[in-house]
Amino acid sequence: MVDAEPAFRPVRPRDGFPALEDLGLIGDGATAALVGLDGGVVWLCVPGFDAEPLFCGLLDRTRGGRFEVAPDGVVEARQRYLGDTGVLVTELRTATGLVRLTDALALRSGADLADDTPADRGELVRLVEVLDGTAEVRVDLEPHGGAIARAALGGLEIQAALLPGVRLHLRSSHPLNGGLRNRYTMRGGDRMELVLSWGRVHRHHRLDAGESLEQTAAAWRRWMTGFDYAGPQEALVRRAAVTLKLCDHWVNGSIVAAPTSSLPAPVGGVRNWDYRYTWIRDAAFAVFAMRRIGFGGEADAFLGWVLDAFEQSRRPRIMYTPAGGPVPDERVDPGLRGYRDSAPVRWGNGAADQRQHDVYGEILDCADQWSRAGGRVEPGLWDGLAGLADAAARTWRQPDQGIWEVRSQGHVFTYSAAMCQVALDRAVAMAERLDLPGPAPRWRATAKEIRRAIVEDAWDDRAQTLTEHLGDGGGVDASLLALPLRGVIPADHPRMVATTKAVAERLGAGGGLLHRYRHDESPDGIPGDEGAFLLCSFWLVDNLTGQGRLEEASALYASLCDRASPLGLLPEQIDPATGEFAGNFPQAFSHIGVIASGVNLSRAMAGVS
C-alpha cells in the first residue's frame, strides 16, 4: 500500500550504486532531488531541473557528489511519504539504535500549489531524530566537482567548484566544526536540524526544520484536496498525481520528462539520455490525465506553456527547456563514469532538432483542449496554428525520425502520419467551433485521406497487423497502440483489434511488459537493445479496455501497478529478465499511464463512455 507503513529491508546497492527502486523523489516546483534508502541525496540540480547538478552521485559514486546523513552500521531501512505529500521519511536501523530522517525541498508558508507563483524557498530541509538507542551519525556534504567551505554566521558558506554563480549555505542545529564532514553521537530523543540553501541565503533566519516540514506537508495536502478519482489502485493514482506535480515547473507550467539524466536503459548500454526537458508530445497526454482527476489548473497551465513556447519560437520544436527555450546541444561528460559504470553521461539532448511530424498534432491537440476549456485563441496564435495544419497536410508522407527519436535513416512512420491527421482534425474543429479563418474543407479532406492511408497502406495482410511505416511495411511498433487514444482509429476497429493482438504477441517481454519495437526488424541507429517500455503496457491496458475486455485489462493494470517501487514510483523501463528498473527515473510518462489507464478502466466498469 502506497504511503502506508512499509517493511524494513536491507540496503543493497547494485555495483556500489543505489538501486533505482530504493530512491525517493522530493521537489519544490523548481527542481527535484533523489534520496536513497541509505540517507544519501544522490541527485539535485540547482536552482532548476535543467541546471548543473550540485549532487549527481547517482552517475558516479566517487566524483558525482552527495549529501549523506546517516548513522554508521545501517542494517536495514525503510522509506515512506507522509500521506499525499512530497515529504519523505527514511528510517534507518543499526545494531544500537533507530534513526528517522525526514526530507523535503521546502515550500513557502501558506503556498498554494495550484497557483502559478513561486512556492519554493531554495532550501533542502533534513530533520534527524533518534527514535531509540544510540547512533553515530555522519553528515557529509560533497558537491559535484568539489567545494570550499568557510565558517559564516549560523553555519557554513559553500562555494561549489562547478556552480560559481550559486550561493550555498548550510545551517545546522549542531556545530559544523568539521566543515563539510561531521560526526555526532546521538541518543534516543535527540534531534538535529539541517538546512541547505541556495540562491536566497537564509543564514540569519530562525532555524526550525520541523515547522518548515509541517508547512510543506500542509501545502501538499491542500493541493491534494482537489484530487477526484475513485477507481482501481486509488492509492497509486494519488501518488502518481503527486509525482507528476513533482516533475512540474509550477511557475512555467511545464513538466519535465524526468528529473534525471543519463540513467541507462539497459545497464551497460549507451542509451543514456538527458530527460530534464519538456517534450511537447507529453503535453496532451499529461493534460488529459491531470484534468480527469481534478487538476484542471495544472492542465491549463501546461497548455498555456505549450502555446507560449510555440509562439516564442515560431517553429514547432519537439522539446523545450522548462522555461520554454531551446534545449542545449548534446555533449558527453568524460568526468563521470555513469550509473553502474554505464557511460557515456550526457547533458543536453541531440534529438531536440530532429524532424518529428507528430509535433504538429501535439501542438494543435493542446490548442484544441485549451480552447475547449475556455482559453482564448488570439489571431496571431491562430495564424501560427493554421500554418502547422498546412505543414501537416504537406509533410505527412515525408520521412521523419518518429516518436521514438531514432538516430537512423528516417521513415514515413505511421504514428507521425496519424498525428498529422490529429493536427488537421483539431484545426477543423477549432475553425468551425470558434469561427476562425482557414481552409477547413481541405483540411478535413486531407485528414480523411490520412486515416484511409493508415488503415490500408500501413496494413500487412500477411502479418495481420498495422505496421510502423506507411507504404514500405516495417515491423510492429507499440506506438500503434496510441492511435485510439488520439482518436485516429477506434480501439474496437477490426484492424486495431488485430494490431493489439500482434503487438502483445510480437513485442511481449513477459509478465505484461512490452518492448517498443524489435531492434532486429526496426534498427534505430543506436547499438544494443533495451528494456520493456512501461507506457506501452499502459497503452495496451487502454486498448483492451476500449475493446470491452475489462477482465484482461484489469489484470494487466494491476500487474503493472504492482511493479511500482515501495514508494509508488515508476521508471521509464523495466528489465524483463530481472524486473529491475531501468532508464530515467521517475518517468512522468509512466505515471501518466497509471492515471489515464485507471480512469479509463474506472469509467468502463461504471458503464460511462
Side-chain angles (χ1 to χ4, degrees), residues 460-489:
D460 184 331
D461 198 54
R462 180 186 57 80
Q464 287 291 292
T465 183
L466 296 172
T467 59
E468 62 183 337
H469 305 151
L470 286 185
D472 66 348
V476 178
D477 185 334
S479 68
L480 298 167
L481 296 176
L483 300 187
L485 312 184
R486 312 313 291 269
V488 179
I489 304 176

Side-chain angles (χ1 to χ4, degrees), residues 14 44 86 157 183 198 215 398 536 577:
R14 292 177 181 151
L44 174 62
E157 191 170 290
R183 298 178 67 86
W198 53 90
Q215 291 173 350
Q398 296 178 12
C536 297

Side-chain angles (χ1 to χ4, degrees), residues 2 20-21 23-25 34 81 223 227 229 232-248 255-260 282 285-291 293 295 533-539 542 557 560-561 563-574 581-599:
V2 179
L20 300 185
E21 300 92 316
L23 295 170
L25 180 72
L34 289 173
Y81 285 105
W223 178 73
F227 180 84
Y229 173 85
Q233 303 286 335
E234 181 178 342
L236 192 64
V237 173
R238 297 184 81 93
R239 179 47 52 188
V242 173
T243 303
L244 284 180
K245 188 67 172 173
L246 287 167
C247 293
D248 180 9
I255 298 177
V256 296
T260 51
D282 295 17
F285 285 109
V287 164
F288 195 56
M290 292 297 277
R291 194 183 298 284
I293 57 170
F295 296 113
F533 202 83
L534 266 176
L535 180 63
C536 297
S537 291
F538 285 110
W539 287 345
D542 295 333
Y557 181 65
L560 297 173
C561 291
R563 293 185 181 275
S565 76
L567 288 172
L569 304 179
L570 287 165
E572 175 189 20
Q573 298 184 22
I574 298 282
F581 288 4
N584 281 294
F585 172 85
Q587 176 84 345
F589 243 163
S590 298
H591 296 87
I592 291 168
V594 170
I595 294 170
S597 294
V599 170

Side-chain angles (χ1 to χ4, degrees), residues 139-142 177-183:
V139 177
D140 292 343
L141 193 154
E142 184 180 352
N177 297 329
L180 297 179
R181 296 180 178 275
N182 293 272
R183 298 178 67 86

